[in-house]
Amino acid sequence: MIQHFNFKPLYENAQLPGWALTFFYKQQRYSAEYKKDGGITFIGEAPSPNDLANVEKMIHELMLFHVYD
């Protein structure tokens, strides 16, 4: 489960899509960018390949709830 999920716009003009994300997963802190096309680029270390699809799914769900709702 993702914990302490935070996001903020990448650009000063909040109308432009793109967000900086930070969150904890399995007691590890991660940073990423969420692109306008739904792509996720991890900054630094990314979750293990076994967890990556699950983490990306959770991020998409959180972004739909917080940003696009």
Side-chain angles (χ1 to χ4, degrees), residues 40-60:
I40 300 169
T41 304
F42 285 91
I43 300 167
E45 188 175 343
S48 71
N50 294 337
D51 293 330
L52 188 58
N54 190 36
V55 169
E56 288 180 344
K57 180 182 176 198
M58 288 187 280
I59 290 171
H60 288 303

Side-chain angles (χ1 to χ4, degrees), residues 23-54:
F23 60 92
F24 283 85
Y25 180 74
K26 293 187 175 179
Q27 300 178 342
Q28 175 73 35
R29 185 177 191 273
Y30 294 99
S31 298
E33 289 183 358
Y34 191 87
K35 308 292 183 178
K36 66 180 178 180
D37 64 357
I40 300 169
T41 304
F42 285 91
I43 300 167
E45 188 175 343
S48 71
N50 294 337
D51 293 330
L52 188 58
N54 190 36

